[in-house]
Amino acid sequence: MRIQPFSLGIVGTNCYVVYGYDGCKALLVDAPDGIGKAASFIQDNNLKLEAVLLTHGHFDHVLGLAEISRIFPGTEVFVSLKDKDYILSGGLLNRQLLSLHFPDILRDFGKDLDELPGSLSYYGQSCHGFEVIDTPGHTPGSVCLYNRKESLLFSGDTLFMCGYGRTDFPNGNQILLMQSLEKLFDGLEGSTDVLPGHGPATTIGAEKACLGL
């Protein structure tokens, strides 16, 4: 498995092109605005985009979906059922979040919300070779994507280097987030590599020590 990371968009959101796991097939983990750089990488390397795997539905992880759909028509988009309303109905929950906290972003990116996909696929226990770990707290449907063979976790905004996702947005829950972190720390080896939704890569062991959980 090979991974090409990108930090894109208005708040520096990480997304990842995962490829080389099955011939020329590729996966995209999260789709922030500015996704064109990741799309160009996929095209330039003659990869076939199989699916977009979303770690959660917040605006900074989904604003690139419309562009991805234009460049790679028919690409399946996976998300937790609990986060579907961040994308469906014109990004209903994202509009509510942005109107309360970031009205300038809503003004500038409202058109991108209008063009979000109208249909989605929903995670089961696994997806394209990754175990789907439910980690609610940052959003109700936040997930982490774990590849046991590679000892690798895409943590979205559940876990960062010496930090974790905020819970003061609508539908956030601090108690659930702490429980989700404990699930990761208790269930995964300390050597597991962590690729987060923002900031540098880390490991489960480093974050368990840093956060004292």
Side-chain angles (χ1 to χ4, degrees):
M1 179 185 294
R2 302 179 69 180
I3 299 168
Q4 178 62 50
F6 296 88
S7 179
L8 303 172
I10 46 178
V11 294
T13 300
N14 293 336
C15 73
Y16 303 90
V17 177
V18 181
Y19 65 109
Y21 70 101
D22 188 7
C24 292
K25 296 179 181 179
L27 302 170
L28 182 64
V29 179
D30 287 328
D33 52 297
I35 198 67
K37 290 183 179 179
S40 293
F41 177 87
I42 293 169
Q43 292 174 314
D44 292 346
N45 287 276
N46 297 312
L47 302 173
K48 175 178 172 53
L49 183 61
E50 290 287 289
V52 179
L53 310 183
L54 298 176
T55 59
H56 64 294
H58 275 163
F59 67 95
D60 54 318
H61 293 254
V62 307
L63 281 172
L65 287 177
E67 186 171 358
I68 286 296
S69 295
R70 288 193 294 269
I71 299 171
F72 306 105
T75 299
E76 200 169 13
V77 177
F78 285 88
V79 70
S80 167
L81 181 64
K82 293 180 180 179
D83 269 16
K84 65 182 178 63
D85 289 329
Y86 286 101
I87 300 169
L88 300 181
S89 302
L92 176 63
L93 293 185
N94 272 313
R95 290 183 184 279
Q96 293 175 1
L97 185 160
L98 291 169
S99 65
L100 287 172
H101 293 274
F102 307 107
D104 291 346
I105 294 177
L106 179 59
R107 181 196 65 219
D108 294 340
F109 289 92
K111 184 175 182 293
D112 297 87
L113 294 175
D114 292 337
E115 297 176 356
L116 289 176
S119 63
L120 299 167
S121 297
Y122 301 111
Y123 288 123
Q125 293 182 335
S126 63
C127 187
H128 285 277
F130 288 90
E131 297 176 33
V132 180
I133 304 174
D134 292 325
T135 52
H138 182 61
T139 66
S142 288
V143 302
C144 293
L145 303 168
Y146 176 56
N147 187 287
R148 189 174 299 274
K149 181 180 178 180
E150 301 286 340
S151 190
L152 172 70
L153 184 80
F154 292 105
S155 64
D157 286 7
T158 295
L159 179 64
F160 307 133
M161 178 180 281
C162 284
Y164 46 83
R166 57 191 296 178
T167 57
D168 59 327
F169 288 158
N171 304 307
N173 188 306
Q174 181 76 11
I175 293 174
L176 288 179
L177 182 55
M178 293 300 104
Q179 292 173 350
S180 293
L181 292 175
E182 290 175 358
K183 179 194 291 189
L184 296 177
F185 293 153
D186 292 343
L188 301 180
E189 295 291 334
S191 58
T192 302
D193 291 315
V194 176
L195 298 180
H198 301 274
T202 183
T203 66
I204 286 291
E207 296 319 304
K208 186 173 183 178
C210 183
L211 298 177
L213 296 175

